[in-house]
Amino acid sequence: MKGKRAAVLGLASAVAIAFGFLESLIPFGFKVGLANSVCLFFVKRKDYSGAILVNAVRIVVCTVCFSNPVSLIYSVSGAALSFMAMWFTEKLKIFSVFGISIMGGVFHNIGQIIAATVLFGSLAVLVYFPVLIIVGAVCGLLTATVTVLVEKKVKFKI
Amino acid sequence: MIKKTDIILFVSLLVAALLLFGVGVLCRQDAKIAVITENGIEVCRLSLEKDTEVSLSHNTVKIENGRVFVKEADCDNQLCVKTQPISKTGEIIVCLPNKVTVEVKNEG
């Protein structure tokens, strides 16, 4: 079973990195959060350690290959807050994968805006807060749709 | 599949965002100065009362009739150039490719 888990996590990390590469092609850093659908896939199966591992591998590889060190701060703060929000929402048991993903998307953006506030050293970037909530919620819906579609195709147990 | 609670969550987030936006708009006042930063470092503070033009490494910022805007930028997307002139506190123009922000403030 241990070998199988390693294989599944490796496969999932590869998918997440591929998503990360795709999104790095979008200009000026706007991301839909496709890579988060992999994390969501694990959260939905209550495999929290798997979600954290895949996220960590993705962030490190994507930052080294397609991005710069400054964006690492944004990625880590966004992913960490997003994961915590999704974990908490999953525990509430009243939302489906869509609700979990919406919270993940919104808190990913909240994490990034906190990072931006600290990096820019000014509260001015908070002007974008309302827009980022809406964008996060919409992207969360898209991410959940991807996860649901993948779930239907993945037959094996992890 | 999608549940009723998910939709309630989505709608309440939209409402919360709109309320926050409304509060932000209501709190706006006429600004007195423009603060320009490049790579996170403050380049200069200018009074909005005097018409001037400032050249940065990649952008040109102009103050005219108490409002500030980006006149030129060498980036591909030109989003900062297309942004409307700003003059109220809380408004900001950002050029992500060149890491430039133009912010208007009240205090000197």
Side-chain angles (χ1 to χ4, degrees):
Chain A
M1 252 343 240
K2 252 195 148 175
K4 188 181 176 187
R5 183 166 160 75
V8 169
L9 287 181
L11 187 69
S13 303
V15 173
I17 292 162
F19 277 150
F21 168 67
L22 266 181
E23 294 199 320
S24 72
L25 301 177
I26 303 172
F28 37 84
F30 284 122
K31 302 215 171 0
V32 192
L34 276 179
N36 197 45
S37 60
V38 181
C39 178
L40 185 65
F41 183 82
F42 282 93
V43 169
K44 193 170 174 281
R45 283 158 187 251
K46 302 194 181 17
D47 184 352
Y48 304 114
S49 60
I52 295 174
L53 274 170
V54 170
N55 252 349
V57 169
R58 170 187 53 96
I59 290 173
V60 169
V61 173
C62 284
T63 306
V64 170
C65 297
F66 321 122
S67 191
N68 56 64
V70 180
S71 73
L72 182 70
I73 303 166
Y74 288 103
S75 300
V76 171
S77 56
L81 216 62
S82 167
F83 172 75
M84 283 189 275
M86 291 199 292
W87 176 76
F88 180 75
T89 318
E90 206 274 327
K91 287 279 173 211
L92 286 178
K93 302 237 181 291
I94 52 168
F95 298 109
S96 78
V97 63
F98 287 93
I100 297 170
S101 182
I102 289 169
M103 287 296 272
V106 170
F107 276 86
H108 178 268
N109 288 352
I110 291 178
Q112 295 207 318
I113 208 167
I114 292 172
T117 309
V118 174
L119 282 180
F120 277 71
S122 114
L123 291 173
V125 279
L126 287 178
V127 185
Y128 294 117
F129 199 71
V131 182
L132 286 174
I133 291 179
I134 297 172
V135 171
V138 174
C139 290
L141 274 181
L142 286 174
T143 308
T145 312
V146 171
T147 307
V148 166
L149 290 176
V150 171
E151 279 259 292
K152 279 185 189 161
K153 298 280 175 193
V154 176
K155 298 282 189 260
F156 58 84
K157 266 184 84 178
I158 56 164
Chain B
M1 255 304 151
I2 195 155
K3 285 188 190 174
K4 214 181 211 173
T5 43
D6 299 331
I7 298 165
I8 295 171
L9 174 70
F10 187 75
V11 173
S12 39
L13 280 170
L14 289 191
V15 172
L18 287 176
L19 281 178
L20 273 175
F21 181 73
V23 169
V25 170
L26 287 178
C27 291
R28 278 177 189 172
Q29 295 167 297
D30 282 328
K32 293 190 178 69
I33 56 156
V35 182
I36 301 165
T37 71
E38 204 169 14
N39 293 315
I41 303 156
E42 188 177 318
V43 180
C44 58
R45 295 178 164 237
L46 302 163
S47 166
L48 287 177
E49 280 151 24
K50 223 172 86 188
D51 292 0
T52 46
E53 205 174 291
V54 184
S55 295
L56 308 170
S57 328
H58 304 279
N59 305 59
T60 309
V61 179
K62 194 168 179 181
I63 295 176
E64 206 175 65
N65 303 325
R67 305 191 301 170
V68 59
F69 61 95
V70 179
K71 192 181 156 199
E72 273 168 16
D74 63 4
C75 56
D76 293 331
N77 63 55
Q78 298 283 313
L79 280 176
C80 54
V81 179
K82 286 173 198 155
T83 308
Q84 291 296 311
I86 58 172
S87 62
K88 302 243 192 274
T89 53
E91 290 181 318
I92 184 171
I93 301 175
V94 179
C95 174
L96 281 178
N98 297 329
K99 296 200 187 70
V100 169
T101 68
V102 180
E103 200 186 322
V104 285
K105 286 184 175 173
N106 230 339
E107 77 271 33

